[in-house]
């Protein structure tokens, strides 16, 4: 599953790649992950980013760093 | 009726009537309440003036002009009855009847025959010529069409059928062959409807004043005795029909002339292909089984509901509240979709609700909301009449949305310009009396590259509408987007080789679109079902804003929704991140409204999408799924991934009318209702909400919303609706864009286009007039990102998919009708050069192999597709096209990339059914053990 999440996150990153500033791109990625991903999906990606994260693009890693680690549903 | 601005007053038999200039005397008479006998005229066709029955006398004019072809003039005084007129009309009728079978009592049109009515109207009492002369009475009946017959003996050659085919349908399949007595209606050179170009839309049958063209069902069952208005359950056009019945048996469906979605027209599916509702394959009793390898065991509703409820409760208790969820359907009503998402949010207590719009138009919701502020198309279908340019992108309306396709063709024949962007040469590109001004046969997967290049050319050549942009759009966002688009990498010259479309053609399209106003964009799944589906939708929105084509008649960005209620399912809060009315679950105000009404707390975090549910299932985190009117195994991409997910669940509940492909992996089957058995509403592609009325009682004994309510109750949550209308009342209370909607108002007005509220009590046909819903239109950046799916030496061709006129999506309905007469299997279209290279001939069985799997399909060698591209339909489960498709999906919405799959095609001699290869023993999984005592 983590491979799917990494791919999806990088795809989101690719979309924001055309934004003129890195700041806007990172904010856009973070906002998208917050609005459309479940907490457990974000948690898995955060865990991956913390443990390894090599397959994640730099803007996605920056965006993840901004996301406060959410509390997963019960 | 004409739309002339000038009003003219005339007198018909002394009655004063005022009508628009250009109105015929016949129509003016009707408006004055005066009936004039007629046979060749109908209100849906242009006047023809051939039958000579509608003759009138006009003061100051010589002779007896035909009232259908004579237009009103100021002060005109018309006499519709006199001794001389009566004599002339009787004479005409005598001639007709002298060559017409006098078998009224055994004729299927007895009591519903205009010729019979006119004979009575004109007072025909004898036929002086006798019946022994030369005649057509022994002419052979033509029965090749599965739905209607043509009886030349009953034909009066009024040409209504020919004109209906030309003017309404636009197929030009019929002609009058011969002259005078020898005149005969001919459907093509063979004389057979089936082998002709006839598309079986039924317009000719509808127009026929006798029983010359007659539905076979009426011939078999007799004329219907009752009629109920309802809405078709096929595509997103949402045609309104009169469901005509005898008792609880549907005899025929006739299109509703008063409907603003179809104006009395129909297609072969809505008009004729409804017999699936009474198919012997219908399963009407609930069934359960412990393991998917077991045979089905019929049980009572009580046992089934209790089982479903207790299992969901058990799983939730054991694995947590996020381990269960539901998928709802765009085939179901708004009320059903609403109650299913309420079941998930209020009873399951999570946001794990998704809908099949995920796999078709979810990028539309995302893209249009981002640009305009609302997740819906901008203009009504009628608006196409004002379009001077029509830009069709990734849509095939003559097959997928045939009734609107015909409407579009009418406008094109009247002179509107046409640009088509599609890898395939669809019918619209060249069809009788229509030829696209520009066809852009782009390579699959390059929509964004093409649309960015069009925008680049518009900006570079200074063709943008600066006044509109400055007044209506967010200028900061526009400046950023403009800078990006004008980069050299987005020029037509740079993108031409990427898209496969010559730069000059891209520039020509840009000039034509930007300089012809108003210009309307219509698009379909050829835009959305890509890894950049949402970006593609945003590109279209940007183009429309760039040229000032949003918020006015004849323009806009208009998605052609695949299923009957895609728009409605999305409106009803069926996505895991949105409540009804497209309000994000994190929106406290919106959430509070539902929480107060429902008496629970709503999770402020988004839930799983379909693909996330399946992925979570494969790692044991998602255990129970309620699948309402949906067939994930056949509809969703990467079928092996779907199957792996379903197999790993402890409870899969399927609520459907048939045991579909997903039923192999289900533990509970709850029988559903066809649209003929339901009360509710559908919302079509133009945001038009229309009533679905029950025509026959549910074969399974319960409406689907009742079943959902009973599951909720059995899980301990109180729900007490007594009718579907009460569910819509709740939607209206809690959803600002629906505040003014009710069943009562829908019945009174016929339909309502949302937003319908205090500001727009009767609805909103054109959105974003004056101001966008979000305030200023937003130009989001749309960089082109190539798909990951690439051709290679092993997989050198790109497969794209689509549907044909005679079948609907995965064919669950149409495969169970006589539509299989035209199409019995899926076909693969391949260009002659690609076919020759592989030793493939037309009609050969071929194997398509992708990185994901392989299927076998018969080949159609065709120049409709470009070399390097192949095209397949996906209507038959034995072909299972989605075995081939990949896990790639839209970056924003996870809408699957159905339209781009790298494949190889080889000829095969002993095909093996995909089902046998992949599924093992499906027959066993379909076995049903009746309930005890039966």
């Amino acid at each position: 599953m983590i491979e799917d999440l990494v791919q999806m996150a990088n795809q989101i990153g690719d979309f924001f790649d055309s934004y003129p500033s890195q700041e806007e791109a990172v904010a856009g990625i973070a906002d998208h992950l917050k609005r459309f991903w479940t907490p457990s999906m974000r948690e898995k990606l955060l865990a991956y980013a913390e443990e390894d994260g090599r397959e994640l693009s730099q803007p996605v890693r920056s965006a993840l760093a901004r996301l406060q680690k959410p509390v997963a549903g019960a | 009726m004409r739309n002339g601005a000038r009003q003219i007053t005339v007198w018909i038999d002394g009655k004063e009537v005022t009508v628009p200039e250009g109105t015929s005397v016949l129509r003016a008479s009707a408006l004055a309440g005066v009936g004039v006998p007629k046979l060749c005229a109908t209100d849906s066709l242009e006047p023809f003036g051939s039958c000579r029955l509608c003759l009138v006398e006009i003061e100051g004019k010589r002779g007896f002009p035909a009232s259908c072809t004579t237009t009103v003039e100021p002060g005109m005084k018309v006499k519709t009855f006199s001794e001389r007129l009566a004599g002339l009309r009787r004479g005409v009728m005598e001639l007709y009847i002298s060559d017409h079978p006098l078998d009224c009592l055994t004729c299927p049109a007895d009591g519903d025959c205009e010729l019979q009515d006119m004979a009575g109207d004109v007072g025909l009492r004898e036929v002086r010529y006798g019946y022994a002369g030369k005649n057509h009475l022994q002419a052979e009946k033509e029965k090749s069409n599965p739905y209607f017959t043509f009886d030349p003996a009953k034909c009066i050659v009024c040409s209504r059928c020919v004109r209906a085919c030309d003017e309404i349908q636009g197929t030009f399949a019929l002609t009058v062959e011969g002259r005078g007595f020898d005149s005969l209606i001919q459907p093509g050179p063979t004389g057979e409807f089936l082998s002709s170009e006839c598309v079986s839309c039924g317009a000719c049958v509808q127009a026929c004043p006798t029983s010359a063209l007659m539905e076979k069902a009426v011939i078999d069952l007799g004329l219907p005795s009752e009629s109920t208005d309802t809405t078709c359950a096929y595509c997103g056009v949402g045609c309104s029909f009169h469901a005509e019945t005898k008792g609880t048996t549907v005899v025929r469906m006739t299109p509703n002339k008063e409907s603003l979605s179809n104006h009395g027209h129909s297609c072969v599916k809505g008009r004729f292909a409804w017999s699936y509702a009474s198919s012997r394959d219908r399963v009407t009793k609930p069934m359960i089984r412990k393991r998917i390898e077991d045979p089905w065991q019929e049980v009572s509703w009580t046992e089934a509901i209790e089982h479903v409820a207790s299992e969901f409760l058990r799983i939730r208790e054991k694995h947590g509240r996020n381990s269960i969820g539901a998928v709802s359907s765009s085939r179901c009503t708004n009320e059903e979709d609403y109650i299913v998402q309420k079941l998930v949010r209020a009873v399951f207590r999570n946001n794990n609700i998704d809908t099949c719009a995920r796999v078709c138009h979810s990028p539309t919701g995302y893209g249009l909301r981002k640009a305009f502020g609302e997740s819906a198309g901008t203009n009504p279908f009628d608006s196409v009449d004002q379009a001077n340019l029509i830009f069709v992108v990734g849509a095939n309306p003559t097959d997928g949305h045939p009734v609107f396709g015909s409407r579009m063709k009418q406008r094109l024949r009247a002179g509107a310009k046409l640009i088509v962007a599609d890898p395939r040469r669809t019918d619209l590109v060249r069809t009788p009396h229509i030829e696209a001004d520009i066809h852009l046969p782009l390579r699959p997967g390059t929509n964004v590259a093409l649309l960015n290049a069009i925008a680049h050319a518009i900006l570079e050549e200074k063709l943008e509408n600066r006044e509109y942009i400055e007044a209506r759009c967010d200028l900061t966002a526009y400046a950023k987007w403009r800078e990006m688009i004008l980069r050299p990498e987005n020029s037509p010259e740079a993108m031409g080789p990427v898209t496969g479309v010559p730069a000059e053609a891209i520039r020509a399209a840009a000039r034509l679109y930007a300089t012809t106003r108003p210009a309307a964009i219509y698009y379909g799944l050829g835009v959305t079902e890509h890894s950049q589906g949402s970006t593609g939708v945003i590109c279209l929105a940007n183009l429309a804003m760039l040229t000032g084509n949003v918020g006015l008649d004849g323009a806009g960005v208009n998605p052609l929704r695949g299923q009957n209620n895609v728009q409605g399912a999305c409106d009803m809060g069926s996505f895991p991140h949105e409540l009804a009315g497209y309000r994000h679950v994190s929106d406290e105000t919106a959430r509070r409204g539902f929480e107060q009404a429902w008496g629970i707390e709503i999770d402020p975090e988004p839930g799983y999408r379909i693909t996330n549910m399946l992925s979570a299932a494969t790692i044991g985190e998602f255990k129970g799924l309620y699948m309402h009117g949906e067939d994930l195994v056949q509809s969703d991409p990467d079928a092996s991934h779907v199957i792996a997910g379903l197999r790993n669940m402890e409870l899969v509940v399927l609520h459907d009318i048939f045991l579909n492909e997903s039923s192999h992996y289900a533990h509970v089957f709850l029988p559903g209702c066809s649209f003929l058995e339901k009360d509710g509403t559908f919302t079509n592609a133009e945001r038009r909400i229309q009533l679905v009325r029950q025509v026959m009682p549910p074969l399974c004994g319960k409406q689907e919303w009742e079943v959902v309510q009973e599951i909720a109750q059995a899980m301990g949550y109180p729900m007490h609706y007594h009718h579907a209308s009460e569910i819509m009342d709740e939607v209206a209370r809690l959803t600002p864009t629906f505040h003014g909607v009710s069943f009562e108002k829908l019945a009174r007005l016929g339909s309502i286009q949302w937003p319908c509220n205090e500001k727009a009590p009767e609805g909103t046909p054109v959105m974003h007039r004056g101001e966008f819903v979000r305030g200023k239109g937003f130009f989001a950046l749309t960089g082109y990102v190539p798909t990951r799916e690439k051709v290679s030496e092993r997989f050198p061709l790109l497969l794209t998919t689509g549907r044909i006129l005679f079948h609907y999506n995965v064919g669950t309905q149409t495969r169970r009708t006589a539509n299989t007469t035209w199409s019995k299997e899926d076909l693969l279209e391949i260009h002659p050069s690609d076919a020759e290279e592989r030793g493939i001939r037309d009609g050969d069985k071929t194997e398509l192999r992708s990185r994901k799997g392989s299927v076998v399909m018969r080949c159609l060698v065709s120049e409709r597709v470009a070399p390097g591209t192949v095209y397949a339909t996906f209507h038959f489960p034995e072909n299972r096209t989605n075995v081939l498709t990949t896990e790639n999906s839209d970056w924003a919405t996870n809408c699957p990339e159905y339209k781009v799959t790298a494949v190889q095609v080889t000829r095969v001699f002993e095909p093996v059914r995909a089902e046998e290869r992949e599924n093992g023993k499906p027959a066993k999984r379909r076995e049903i053990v009746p309930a005890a005592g039966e």
Side-chain angles (χ1 to χ4, degrees):
Chain A
M1 187 180 187
I2 191 64
E3 294 82 6
D4 296 341
L5 297 180
V6 168
Q7 189 198 320
M8 283 159 57
N10 284 339
Q11 254 191 296
I12 295 165
D14 289 344
F15 171 77
F16 287 100
D17 194 38
S18 59
Y19 276 58
S21 77
Q22 173 90 347
E23 167 57 27
E24 280 180 88
V26 169
I29 296 165
D31 181 61
H32 193 90
L33 293 174
K34 178 84 180 125
R35 290 179 69 80
F36 297 102
W37 281 35
T38 66
S40 67
M41 289 163 66
R42 294 199 300 264
E43 255 186 6
K44 284 187 175 67
L45 199 66
L46 277 163
Y48 170 74
E50 281 169 12
E51 287 166 19
D52 178 349
R54 76 177 73 166
E55 297 297 325
L56 289 169
S57 68
Q58 183 53 49
V60 172
R61 272 186 283 179
S62 302
L64 285 171
R66 285 190 186 198
L67 288 176
Q68 196 181 354
K69 197 166 183 175
V71 178
Chain B
M1 178 64 83
R2 290 294 179 263
N3 294 318
R6 192 170 153 220
Q7 296 290 306
I8 288 177
T9 299
V10 297
W11 281 263
I12 311 286
D13 293 340
K15 292 182 182 175
E16 184 180 321
V17 63
T18 301
V19 294
E21 184 177 22
T23 301
S24 71
V25 170
L26 183 71
R27 177 70 182 153
S29 302
L31 291 171
V34 176
V36 178
K38 62 181 175 61
L39 276 172
C40 71
T42 88
D43 54 6
S44 55
L45 297 171
E46 290 296 313
F48 196 55
S50 78
C51 76
R52 315 312 293 173
L53 264 190
C54 69
L55 308 180
V56 291
E57 292 176 14
I58 299 175
E59 196 174 293
K61 288 190 184 289
R62 293 172 58 190
F64 304 94
S67 61
C68 65
T69 52
T70 305
T71 53
V72 292
E73 291 172 15
M76 189 180 255
K77 291 185 171 59
V78 178
K79 203 170 173 185
T80 68
F81 185 80
S82 69
E83 279 298 317
R84 294 205 55 192
L85 285 170
L88 286 168
R89 289 173 184 155
R90 270 197 298 275
V92 169
M93 282 305 295
E94 270 188 279
L95 287 168
Y96 276 125
I97 301 301
S98 69
D99 187 13
H100 195 85
L102 297 179
D103 61 351
C104 289
L105 288 180
T106 55
C107 176
D110 185 28
D112 187 25
C113 172
E114 291 182 45
L115 189 69
Q116 195 178 48
D117 294 344
M118 289 305 110
D121 190 301
V122 305
L124 185 70
R125 299 291 174 261
E126 62 173 341
V127 175
R128 290 167 292 170
Y129 313 111
Y131 305 98
K134 195 176 171 190
N135 59 53
H136 300 85
L137 301 183
Q138 303 307 316
E140 198 177 336
K141 209 170 182 178
E142 210 289 288
K143 300 177 183 174
S144 62
N145 186 291
Y147 296 121
F148 61 84
T149 62
F150 173 57
D151 186 351
K154 300 280 175 69
C155 178
I156 60 171
V157 202
C158 63
S159 290
R160 276 202 205 175
C161 54
V162 178
R163 289 179 287 138
C165 191
D166 298 355
E167 294 172 22
I168 300 173
Q169 169 54 32
T171 295
F172 298 84
L174 303 179
T175 188
V176 181
E177 195 175 277
R179 296 174 67 86
F181 180 84
D182 295 324
S183 300
L184 185 65
I185 303 298
Q186 277 285 3
T190 66
E192 275 192 0
F193 274 80
L194 191 62
S195 57
S196 75
E197 292 186 348
C198 168
V199 292
S200 207
C201 68
C204 57
V205 181
Q206 198 67 13
C208 182
T210 71
S211 65
L213 286 156
M214 177 56 77
E215 296 95 342
K216 286 183 175 175
V218 175
I219 294 171
D220 291 343
L221 301 170
L223 285 169
S225 52
E226 290 168 11
S227 177
T228 307
D229 288 355
T230 194
T231 307
C232 179
Y234 280 114
C235 76
V237 177
C239 294
S240 173
F241 279 91
H242 308 299
E244 301 183 16
T245 51
K246 268 179 182 299
T248 58
T249 300
V250 179
V251 176
R252 67 179 170 190
M253 301 277 285
T254 54
N256 183 355
K257 280 187 186 176
E258 305 304 318
S259 162
L260 295 175
S261 49
N262 58 313
H263 294 279
H265 191 35
S266 56
C267 79
V268 60
K269 296 188 282 284
R271 178 73 155 88
F272 296 115
W274 35 265
S275 62
Y276 69 87
S278 48
S279 162
R280 280 182 295 183
D281 292 347
R282 284 285 298 272
V283 178
T284 58
K285 291 181 180 168
M287 304 187 295
I288 60 176
R289 59 184 173 186
K290 197 169 176 55
R291 301 176 312 137
I292 60 171
E293 292 78 17
D294 296 338
W296 286 107
Q297 175 70 52
E298 289 181 351
V299 295
S300 68
W301 270 114
T302 306
E303 188 177 345
I305 299 284
E306 281 175 5
H307 179 74
V308 169
S310 64
E311 278 295 280
F312 275 130
L313 288 169
R314 179 188 65 77
I315 293 170
R316 191 174 67 179
E317 180 69 24
K318 184 175 169 192
H319 300 286
R321 68 178 171 87
N322 284 320
S323 62
I324 55 177
V327 177
S328 64
S329 173
S330 300
R331 289 183 197 172
C332 294
T333 63
N334 286 319
E335 294 69 23
E336 289 161 348
D337 285 326
Y338 178 83
I339 198 172
V340 170
Q341 62 89 32
K342 183 173 177 178
L343 174 80
V344 171
R345 294 196 159 105
V347 188
F348 289 6
R349 305 300 301 275
N350 61 42
N351 285 315
N352 292 336
I353 172 66
D354 207 357
T355 180
C356 60
R358 172 69 52 210
V359 300
C360 64
H361 268 285
S362 50
T364 287
Y366 181 88
L368 296 186
R369 185 170 184 81
K370 186 111 184 159
F372 304 151
E374 194 56 274
S375 300
T378 58
N379 286 50
F381 291 143
D382 281 357
S383 169
V384 77
D385 290 347
Q386 278 100 57
N388 284 322
L389 181 128
I390 296 171
F391 186 11
V392 179
V393 190
N396 184 7
T398 55
D399 281 41
H401 306 82
V403 169
F404 179 66
S406 291
R407 192 78 189 278
M408 190 183 269
K409 288 197 291 183
Q410 288 172 21
R411 179 66 198 131
L412 292 167
R413 289 200 303 275
K417 303 284 185 191
L418 174 65
I419 304 170
V420 176
D422 199 298
R424 187 165 166 265
R425 205 183 65 223
T426 58
D427 279 351
L428 263 189
V429 174
R430 190 152 193 242
T431 195
H433 304 288
I434 292 170
E435 183 152 14
D437 295 271
I438 299 170
H439 176 212
L440 306 169
L442 75 169
R443 193 168 288 134
T446 62
N447 286 324
V448 171
L450 177 76
L451 297 169
N452 280 346
I454 290 174
H456 181 104
I458 290 172
L459 283 170
E460 196 179 64
E461 299 186 23
K462 301 191 184 339
L463 299 174
E464 73 273 27
N465 188 333
R466 285 184 209 161
E467 194 183 334
Y468 182 93
I469 296 163
E470 282 169 15
R472 301 280 312 265
C473 301
D474 178 329
L475 295 179
T476 308
Y478 173 67
K480 287 180 188 171
W481 174 79
R482 187 175 188 279
E483 185 278 322
M484 184 213 79
I485 287 290
L486 279 172
R487 287 178 205 157
E489 66 261 31
N490 289 319
S491 70
E493 288 67 29
M495 286 294 117
V498 172
T499 61
V501 180
E504 198 38 54
I506 298 174
R507 286 190 178 275
R511 286 179 203 125
L512 191 60
Y513 177 71
T515 58
T516 316
R517 264 173 69 90
I521 291 171
Y522 295 92
Y523 71 93
L525 305 182
V527 170
T528 58
E529 291 177 343
H530 285 89
S531 60
Q532 279 206 292
S534 292
T535 318
V537 174
I538 294 170
C539 284
L540 295 173
N542 289 348
L543 278 179
M545 291 191 289
L546 181 67
T547 53
N549 272 306
V550 187
L552 60 155
D553 293 316
V557 182
N558 304 287
L560 294 173
R561 306 278 191 163
Q563 301 205 72
N564 51 318
N565 201 34
V566 178
Q567 182 69 58
C570 301
D571 300 343
M572 292 298 108
S574 305
F575 285 135
H577 65 285
E578 281 174 340
L579 299 163
Y582 302 102
R583 289 163 297 162
H584 199 271
V585 289
S586 62
D587 176 342
E588 270 194 49
T589 310
R591 218 170 52 242
R592 199 171 304 126
F594 286 95
E595 287 174 342
Q596 283 169 0
W598 295 351
I600 48 96
E601 277 186 22
I602 294 174
D603 189 339
E605 291 281 1
Y608 284 132
R609 295 169 174 172
I610 295 172
T611 185
N612 308 144
M613 292 181 201
L614 294 164
S615 295
T618 57
I619 57 169
E621 292 184 2
F622 188 86
K623 292 289 185 179
L625 178 66
Y626 170 56
M627 211 184 319
H628 185 212
E630 183 57 3
D631 186 356
L632 295 183
V633 171
Q634 204 185 344
S635 302
D636 282 48
D638 193 3
S640 57
H641 170 69
V642 176
I643 291 168
L646 293 177
R647 274 184 178 281
N648 230 24
M649 293 186 200
E650 291 178 16
L651 176 68
V652 175
V653 179
L654 179 64
H655 193 170
D656 210 312
I657 61 175
F658 297 114
L659 282 173
N660 61 29
E661 295 305 298
S662 298
S663 70
H664 298 313
Y665 308 96
H667 306 88
V668 178
F669 180 86
L670 301 174
C673 306
S674 73
F675 76 111
L676 294 168
E677 297 151 57
K678 291 178 177 182
D679 278 310
T681 56
F682 291 151
T683 306
N684 75 358
E686 44 168 4
R687 294 171 278 106
R688 188 180 301 284
I689 311 164
Q690 301 180 101
L691 285 172
V692 179
R693 293 185 175 92
Q694 192 183 92
V695 175
M696 54 199 245
L699 298 186
C700 64
K702 288 179 192 290
Q703 294 225 6
E704 289 171 19
W705 66 262
E706 292 179 279
V707 176
V708 179
Q709 175 163 285
E710 287 177 22
I711 293 171
Q713 288 168 339
M715 290 182 73
Y717 181 85
M719 275 194 199
H720 302 291
Y721 304 110
H722 301 94
H723 189 266
S725 62
E726 295 175 13
I727 303 175
M728 179 51 84
D729 291 342
E730 182 174 312
V731 174
R733 276 198 304 278
L734 297 172
T735 314
T737 45
F738 277 67
H739 275 343
V741 179
S742 69
F743 275 37
E744 180 279 321
K745 191 189 277 187
L746 285 165
R748 183 158 41 85
L749 299 180
S751 64
I752 298 169
Q753 285 176 277
W754 68 261
C756 173
N757 47 30
E758 301 73 16
K759 285 186 193 165
E762 297 199 347
T764 311
V766 176
M767 291 191 82
H768 315 297
R769 277 197 198 276
E771 187 182 34
F772 287 99
V773 169
R774 71 182 302 282
K776 296 287 186 185
F778 186 80
F779 283 84
L781 300 187
T782 54
Y784 169 59
V785 181
T787 170
R788 296 193 329 151
E789 183 69 358
K790 312 271 189 223
V791 292
S792 65
E793 204 170 310
R794 277 185 70 206
F795 303 106
L797 302 170
L798 280 180
L799 168 72
T800 188
T801 60
R803 63 192 200 198
I804 60 167
L805 171 68
F806 295 99
H807 286 296
Y808 178 68
N809 286 358
V810 295
T812 309
Q813 292 136 296
T814 47
R815 280 185 284 106
R816 292 179 167 95
T817 70
N819 278 23
T820 50
T821 308
W822 288 278
S823 166
K824 293 180 176 60
E825 61 183 337
D826 285 317
L827 290 175
L828 175 77
E829 284 184 16
I830 184 168
H831 189 271
S833 63
D834 289 328
E836 190 181 356
E837 203 175 288
R838 290 162 176 77
I840 294 168
R841 290 171 305 184
D842 198 48
D844 280 350
K845 284 270 185 184
T846 56
E847 182 187 48
L848 269 95
R849 179 169 290 280
S850 76
R851 294 180 177 97
K852 284 288 170 182
S854 71
V855 299
V856 172
M857 212 175 274
R858 196 177 297 282
C859 236
L860 177 69
V861 177
S862 166
E863 290 186 349
R864 277 182 176 240
V865 287
T869 301
V870 291
Y871 167 88
T873 54
F874 52 85
H875 303 303
F876 289 84
E878 51 269 39
N879 293 117
R880 290 185 59 207
T881 311
N882 284 327
V883 166
L884 303 170
T885 46
T886 70
E887 71 280 11
N888 292 346
S889 65
D890 174 42
W891 69 270
T893 66
N894 285 131
C895 179
E897 190 170 52
Y898 287 121
K899 300 300 181 188
V900 191
T901 308
V903 294
Q904 178 59 291
V905 181
T906 49
R907 191 175 172 199
V908 295
F909 297 92
E910 290 180 12
V912 179
R913 282 165 57 98
E915 193 175 45
E916 289 166 16
R917 282 200 312 269
E918 309 283 341
N919 291 348
K921 295 175 181 173
K924 176 73 176 169
R925 294 204 202 114
R926 287 220 161 126
E927 198 177 310
I928 298 172
V929 178
E934 293 191 16

